[in-house]
Amino acid sequence: QQLIDEGNEKINCDFNGEMKKLNDHVDNSCPLNLLDCWYKPFGCAHECTKQKLQEHLTLKLKFHFDLVVKFVDSLKKTIKLNQDEIIQLKLKIELNEKKYEENRILINENISMELKKKEFLEKDNEIKKLEKELIKLRDEIERLKGNVSPSHSPKRKKINRCLA
């Protein structure tokens, strides 16, 4: 049997049960247990016995109401900050999507330019080969002109036939 002085009242525990039921009694039904105020999550640090809790809740009604109002105001500020952050993040996403699209277009243009450059180089090499062939053919024509005697020319043959 223990006594506790809460204000001017003395509260005692009359537990006379078996030892195996003591833990359950201490955890759940002992009048000497101190309980947190229901408004602890909002900032009230008061602890009292179960018998005094209702009295505390009644006497501190305005205090508890002010704690809840303060908490709600804090939540509103947090919500506003989060909403502002969401707006900023959405703007960043839009900007990044535009940049992504611009980069995609530039990459496609770059690929197209590389393909055209490759085609150009291939055509340029083809032109150079054709120019070399042309030079060879001109040289061959000049060589053949030098090998042909004037008596073998078609005009000369006509003249020779007429004369004969």
Side-chain angles (χ1 to χ4, degrees), residues 2-162:
Q2 293 181 343
L3 299 175
I4 188 170
D5 184 2
E6 193 169 289
N8 293 331
E9 290 183 42
K10 293 201 181 217
I11 300 172
N12 63 359
C13 175
D14 295 330
F15 179 75
N16 288 330
E18 301 171 19
M19 285 301 283
K20 62 182 179 183
K21 294 184 181 178
L22 180 62
N23 281 340
D24 181 58
H25 167 75
V26 169
D27 290 342
N28 298 314
S29 59
C30 183
L32 298 175
N33 274 349
L34 293 179
L35 302 175
D36 288 332
C37 174
W38 295 353
Y39 291 88
K40 184 177 182 174
F42 300 100
C44 183
H46 185 74
E47 289 182 331
C48 61
T49 61
K50 188 174 185 179
Q51 289 97 340
K52 291 288 184 173
L53 184 58
Q54 195 60 43
E55 181 182 336
H56 165 74
L57 293 172
T58 304
L59 290 174
K60 298 294 183 173
L61 185 65
K62 174 152 179 23
F63 172 71
H64 291 146
F65 180 77
D66 291 343
L67 286 175
V68 172
V69 168
K70 185 177 175 183
F71 182 77
V72 169
D73 286 343
S74 171
L75 286 178
K76 283 180 180 179
K77 288 177 185 174
T78 301
I79 289 169
K80 176 69 173 131
L81 288 173
N82 287 340
Q83 287 173 334
D84 291 346
E85 185 179 358
I86 287 170
I87 289 169
Q88 291 301 314
L89 289 172
K90 283 181 178 180
L91 291 173
K92 283 182 180 180
I93 288 171
E94 286 180 23
L95 181 64
N96 285 339
E97 286 174 345
K98 286 179 183 176
K99 286 181 181 179
Y100 172 79
E101 184 60 23
E102 289 171 0
N103 285 340
R104 189 187 64 74
I105 290 170
L106 289 174
I107 288 169
N108 285 340
E109 288 176 357
N110 191 20
I111 290 170
S112 177
M113 292 296 288
E114 287 296 321
L115 289 174
K116 288 180 181 178
K117 179 180 175 183
K118 184 179 176 183
E119 287 176 22
F120 174 79
L121 291 174
E122 288 172 357
K123 295 291 182 187
D124 189 51
N125 286 337
E126 195 176 320
I127 289 171
K128 286 178 182 176
K129 285 180 186 176
L130 289 173
E131 285 175 342
K132 286 179 182 178
E133 282 184 44
L134 181 60
I135 289 171
K136 285 181 185 177
L137 289 173
R138 285 184 179 156
D139 288 346
E140 182 68 19
I141 289 171
E142 289 301 318
R143 187 184 61 78
L144 289 174
K145 280 184 183 177
N147 287 343
V148 176
S149 66
S151 62
H152 291 101
S153 71
K155 197 174 192 181
R156 187 74 169 148
K157 284 182 182 178
K158 281 185 183 179
I159 294 171
N160 286 340
R161 268 188 283 172
C162 289

